[in-house]
Amino acid sequence: MMLITSVKAFEDNIKLFLKEAGIQSYTYQDVNGFKDCSGLSVKDNWFANDKSECESVLFHVFTEQIKTDGFLQKAKMFNEKQATANAIHAVIINTDKTL
């Protein structure tokens, strides 16, 4: 299983990368991203707010490893080109049993 999360603005990019990797079935939902910025200096947090929420998206994917590898490769290349701190985050979770 692969979980993918990012800011909402990258939703279409993720869907394209899934399609290009041959992944035709997945679920996704809108979620609220949250970051506690209380440990950052005012200089590093120009919103000057202790808590920051943003519109995000979460994908759940059940597919073969070769397809997740293809997605991860595309997401990594995308992230390397980003000028912002936002990125596509993905994690592979091994499942021992499925139904």
Side-chain angles (χ1 to χ4, degrees), residues 1-5 59 61 68 71-72 89-94:
M1 178 171 87
M2 179 169 56
L3 296 177
I4 306 162
T5 185
F59 288 76
V61 181
T68 59
F71 173 84
L72 292 173
H89 302 278
V91 62
I92 305 297
I93 300 172
N94 292 324

Side-chain angles (χ1 to χ4, degrees), residues 4 6 8-24 26-30 57-59 71 74 88:
I4 306 162
S6 79
K8 180 82 171 158
F10 296 160
E11 179 180 339
D12 290 339
N13 300 94
I14 293 170
K15 289 177 180 177
L16 176 64
F17 300 155
L18 289 167
K19 182 178 181 179
E20 290 175 346
I23 299 169
Q24 299 175 339
Y26 55 86
T27 60
Y28 72 98
Q29 64 191 53
D30 292 335
V57 64
L58 172 66
F59 288 76
F71 173 84
K74 293 174 184 306
I88 295 172

Side-chain angles (χ1 to χ4, degrees), residues 59-85:
F59 288 76
H60 302 84
V61 181
F62 292 92
T63 193
E64 300 87 18
Q65 181 179 345
I66 193 162
K67 292 181 180 180
T68 59
D69 289 345
F71 173 84
L72 292 173
Q73 201 171 37
K74 293 174 184 306
K76 181 180 179 185
M77 289 173 31
F78 176 82
N79 287 343
E80 289 172 350
K81 295 177 183 176
Q82 293 308 305
T84 67

